[in-house]
Amino acid sequence: MKVRRSDRLIDMTRYLLERPHTLVPLTFFSKKYESAKSSISEDLTILKRTFQERGTGLLETVPGAAGGTRFLPYILKEEATDFVGDLIGQMTDESRYLPGGYVYMSDLLGDPNTLRQIGRIFATQYLNQNVDAVMTIATKGVPIAQGVANLLNVPFVIVRHDTEITEGSTVNVNYVSGSSERIEKMSLSKRSLKKGANVLIVDDYMRGGGTISGMISMVEEFEANLIGIGVVAESSMPETRRIGEYTSLMTVDAEDNTVTAKTGNYLDKFFN
Amino acid sequence: MKVRRSDRLIDMTRYLLERPHTLVPLTFFSKKYESAKSSISEDLTILKRTFQERGTGLLETVPGAAGGTRFLPYILKEEATDFVGDLIGQMTDESRYLPGGYVYMSDLLGDPNTLRQIGRIFATQYLNQNVDAVMTIATKGVPIAQGVANLLNVPFVIVRHDTEITEGSTVNVNYVSGSSERIEKMSLSKRSLKKGANVLIVDDYMRGGGTISGMISMVEEFEANLIGIGVVAESSMPETRRIGEYTSLMTVDAEDNTVTAKTGNYLDKFFN
């Protein structure tokens, strides 16, 4: 039975939102809804316009026999700024201060809406970069990685501080932990990354940058390509780190029972 | 400017999919799209029908002044069965066998689409249960918890084997690890759960059930309510465990270089 336009638009929206960065052939929709390709083309024009007007994302059309449509979710600068502003407001709550100059943010890293918005921001920055995998380190980086991977529709891989039997053979890397100035070890399952894969590194918080450096070495050990580095928060000191370019949503510092949070450098990296 | 119906349907679909289990007042949509409440009501009728016909979920209408609409995502038994069947097929690949009778499944736990489908299945089971938080244990449970929490639109909390400084004060629980028969410790940040919260426990794999038992004790320590337990995979031995009711998507065993996977008990718990 031929499907009405309204029903097609609703179901196509769902289908495309669930499969970002995936090329869907016109013939797929045409069969699924038993509708002419010309009708599907008109639907896509409407979807493209609404997605653009509402700041949802870009609906790319790829012409030709192997063509189709591809949904690239993004977040507009304005919405991103509002979101980060709100996040900064939440961070500066003094109850977040922890002894030793640490900051409690596990609640934010367990909130699906916060994670989706964080994911949208990093996915926007790497919209055109062909990321193959998102890499992070256990435990608190995992929700960030999953949030970003959801929007880029690529797998995420979890580097661990320990080696677990269920990871199989691992590649191990030593790194200098900035906060404790100790040599530590991190490991990643050998089968989790392919040679030549384009890797985006994300984490929740960057202090000295030691953990990020370790992950960069890990990317090199796998003969993969580092595409970029994104952290939700960084400390304002040290001012420079030996890790090259990275993106942060906020700078967050804790001292004398007070948490200070400011906008990070992410706005400079924004394409729209 | 008044928004066309087609544009409204597309944007409402996105809005509702991003906020499952959340009551959205009619007046919100009416203002957002500068459209009459009667038009919005018609839109919702169309959305409800399409969501139902396509197995996307239930669009509940709550009447009255404080009323509105609420999207409850579900997965139909047929789609769930297909998905778990496919998962079982992937599990039985002999390359997943790891020395000592373990199974490699980190790739599946890092795949956004697999995690969304797992999330949909557990979210379907607890559709009407008022879950307040999803609990899991680091590291491999995290992606499962996030997948489920996304669909129930509630926070997830991460129990850890270690105590980390960034968690603040923690509640610690001892438990007997079935696989090693050792007493182990798990900890959860004190501020992560409220007294009386309804908690759903999820994990990737259950062997003896020791870790799950530990999390049940943790729920008790917080004076919270256990709503249910869901694991992606369980071993077929032991046949009974002291943890009461639980749901598993698969039984997975590894022996003599072979991985065996079968359907778990989840189909018995399915409401539709």
Side-chain angles (χ1 to χ4, degrees):
Chain A
M1 191 197 71
K2 204 162 165 280
V3 176
R4 271 166 291 203
R5 162 146 295 152
S6 57
D7 296 20
R8 287 201 308 261
L9 290 175
I10 294 166
D11 199 55
M12 285 167 91
T13 300
R14 177 197 59 79
Y15 191 88
L16 291 166
L17 289 182
E18 286 179 354
R19 283 161 194 80
H21 289 265
T22 306
L23 188 69
V24 184
L26 240 66
T27 45
F28 173 83
F29 283 134
S30 170
K31 270 189 198 159
K32 186 169 160 72
Y33 306 122
E34 300 182 34
S35 304
K37 272 196 185 181
S38 57
S39 307
I40 300 292
S41 275
E42 286 164 29
D43 296 345
L44 291 173
T45 306
I46 300 169
L47 281 161
K48 186 182 178 132
R49 187 189 59 219
T50 305
F51 284 171
Q52 195 184 336
E53 280 174 6
R54 298 278 162 188
T56 304
L58 178 68
L59 197 66
E60 242 182 22
T61 315
V62 181
T69 191
R70 188 188 280 127
F71 170 60
L72 309 177
Y74 59 60
I75 188 169
L76 294 177
K77 205 167 184 170
E78 195 187 355
E79 191 181 349
T81 312
D82 286 351
F83 165 73
V84 175
D86 182 56
L87 206 56
I88 287 172
Q90 291 184 66
M91 289 306 295
T92 49
D93 188 313
E94 64 175 24
S95 73
R96 294 192 177 277
Y97 181 86
L98 295 173
Y102 290 87
V103 182
Y104 183 77
M105 51 189 286
S106 296
D107 56 334
L108 301 172
L109 301 181
D111 175 53
N113 296 307
T114 302
L115 294 167
R116 190 182 64 243
Q117 294 294 64
I118 292 172
R120 286 178 73 197
I121 295 178
F122 289 121
T124 302
Q125 193 188 343
Y126 296 97
L127 190 76
N128 294 310
Q129 302 264 338
N130 278 322
V131 173
D132 294 313
V134 179
M135 175 188 281
T136 195
I137 188 152
T139 301
K140 285 212 283 288
V142 179
I144 310 294
Q146 190 164 347
V148 178
N150 276 346
L151 273 293
L152 291 174
N153 202 16
V154 297
F156 59 95
V157 300
I158 305 172
V159 177
R160 304 175 61 111
H161 291 289
D162 51 357
T163 52
E164 231 218 315
I165 198 160
T166 51
E167 295 296 319
S169 310
T170 56
V171 172
N172 302 315
V173 161
N174 296 318
Y175 69 102
V176 182
S177 165
S179 31
S180 59
E181 281 177 22
R182 272 193 323 233
I183 300 282
E184 302 206 27
K185 205 178 75 174
M186 56 170 74
S187 75
L188 179 60
S189 174
K190 234 177 170 174
R191 51 182 113 184
S192 62
L193 267 188
K194 285 205 181 73
K195 199 169 151 173
N198 292 328
V199 178
L200 171 60
I201 292 176
V202 299
D203 206 357
D204 60 325
Y205 192 79
M206 175 168 67
R207 202 173 282 253
T211 312
I212 299 280
S213 289
M215 284 196 271
I216 295 172
S217 309
M218 189 64 89
V219 170
E220 287 163 1
E221 283 299 326
F222 276 86
E223 298 181 51
N225 305 315
L226 179 64
I227 292 292
I229 300 163
V231 297
V232 176
E234 61 168 322
S235 62
S236 60
M237 294 292 285
E239 272 174 31
T240 57
R241 299 177 179 90
R242 294 184 195 176
I243 60 160
E245 286 248 343
Y246 65 89
T247 304
S248 68
L249 304 191
M250 307 179 278
T251 62
V252 174
D253 296 286
E255 213 175 4
D256 300 333
N257 288 309
T258 310
V259 178
T260 321
K262 290 183 187 138
T263 304
N265 66 14
Y266 77 99
L267 285 173
D268 312 338
K269 327 262 173 163
F270 239 66
F271 84 100
N272 57 15
Chain B
M1 193 197 71
K2 202 160 167 285
V3 176
R4 270 166 291 204
R5 162 146 295 154
S6 56
D7 296 21
R8 286 200 309 261
L9 291 174
I10 294 166
D11 198 55
M12 285 167 90
T13 300
R14 176 196 62 78
Y15 191 89
L16 291 165
L17 290 181
E18 286 179 354
R19 284 161 195 79
H21 289 264
T22 306
L23 188 69
V24 184
L26 240 66
T27 45
F28 172 83
F29 283 135
S30 170
K31 270 188 197 157
K32 186 169 158 74
Y33 306 122
E34 300 182 33
S35 305
K37 272 195 185 181
S38 56
S39 306
I40 300 294
S41 275
E42 286 164 31
D43 295 345
L44 291 173
T45 306
I46 300 169
L47 281 160
K48 187 182 177 130
R49 188 189 59 220
T50 306
F51 284 171
Q52 195 185 335
E53 280 174 6
R54 297 279 163 188
T56 305
L58 179 67
L59 197 65
E60 243 183 21
T61 314
V62 181
T69 191
R70 191 189 277 127
F71 169 60
L72 310 177
Y74 58 61
I75 188 169
L76 294 178
K77 206 167 184 170
E78 196 189 353
E79 190 181 350
T81 312
D82 286 351
F83 165 73
V84 174
D86 181 57
L87 206 56
I88 287 171
Q90 291 184 64
M91 288 306 294
T92 48
D93 187 315
E94 65 174 23
S95 73
R96 294 193 176 276
Y97 181 85
L98 295 174
Y102 291 88
V103 182
Y104 183 78
M105 52 190 284
S106 297
D107 56 335
L108 301 173
L109 301 181
D111 175 53
N113 297 307
T114 302
L115 294 167
R116 190 182 63 243
Q117 295 293 67
I118 292 172
R120 287 178 71 198
I121 294 178
F122 290 120
T124 302
Q125 194 188 342
Y126 297 97
L127 190 75
N128 294 311
Q129 302 265 338
N130 277 323
V131 174
D132 294 313
V134 179
M135 176 188 280
T136 194
I137 189 154
T139 301
K140 285 213 281 288
V142 180
I144 310 295
Q146 189 164 348
V148 178
N150 276 346
L151 273 292
L152 291 175
N153 201 16
V154 298
F156 59 96
V157 300
I158 306 172
V159 177
R160 305 175 60 111
H161 292 288
D162 51 359
T163 51
E164 230 218 317
I165 197 159
T166 51
E167 295 296 319
S169 310
T170 56
V171 172
N172 302 313
V173 161
N174 296 318
Y175 69 102
V176 183
S177 166
S179 30
S180 59
E181 281 176 24
R182 270 195 322 234
I183 301 282
E184 303 206 28
K185 204 177 76 173
M186 55 171 75
S187 75
L188 178 61
S189 174
K190 235 179 170 171
R191 50 183 115 185
S192 63
L193 267 187
K194 285 205 181 71
K195 199 169 150 172
N198 292 327
V199 178
L200 170 62
I201 293 177
V202 300
D203 206 357
D204 60 326
Y205 192 79
M206 175 168 67
R207 200 173 285 251
T211 311
I212 299 280
S213 289
M215 284 195 273
I216 295 172
S217 309
M218 189 64 88
V219 170
E220 287 163 2
E221 282 299 327
F222 276 86
E223 297 180 52
N225 305 315
L226 179 65
I227 291 292
I229 299 163
V231 297
V232 175
E234 61 168 323
S235 62
S236 60
M237 293 292 284
E239 271 173 33
T240 57
R241 299 177 179 90
R242 294 184 196 176
I243 60 161
E245 286 250 341
Y246 65 89
T247 304
S248 67
L249 304 191
M250 307 180 278
T251 63
V252 174
D253 296 284
E255 214 176 3
D256 300 334
N257 288 309
T258 310
V259 178
T260 323
K262 289 183 188 140
T263 304
N265 66 14
Y266 77 100
L267 285 173
D268 312 338
K269 327 263 175 163
F270 238 66
F271 83 102
N272 57 17

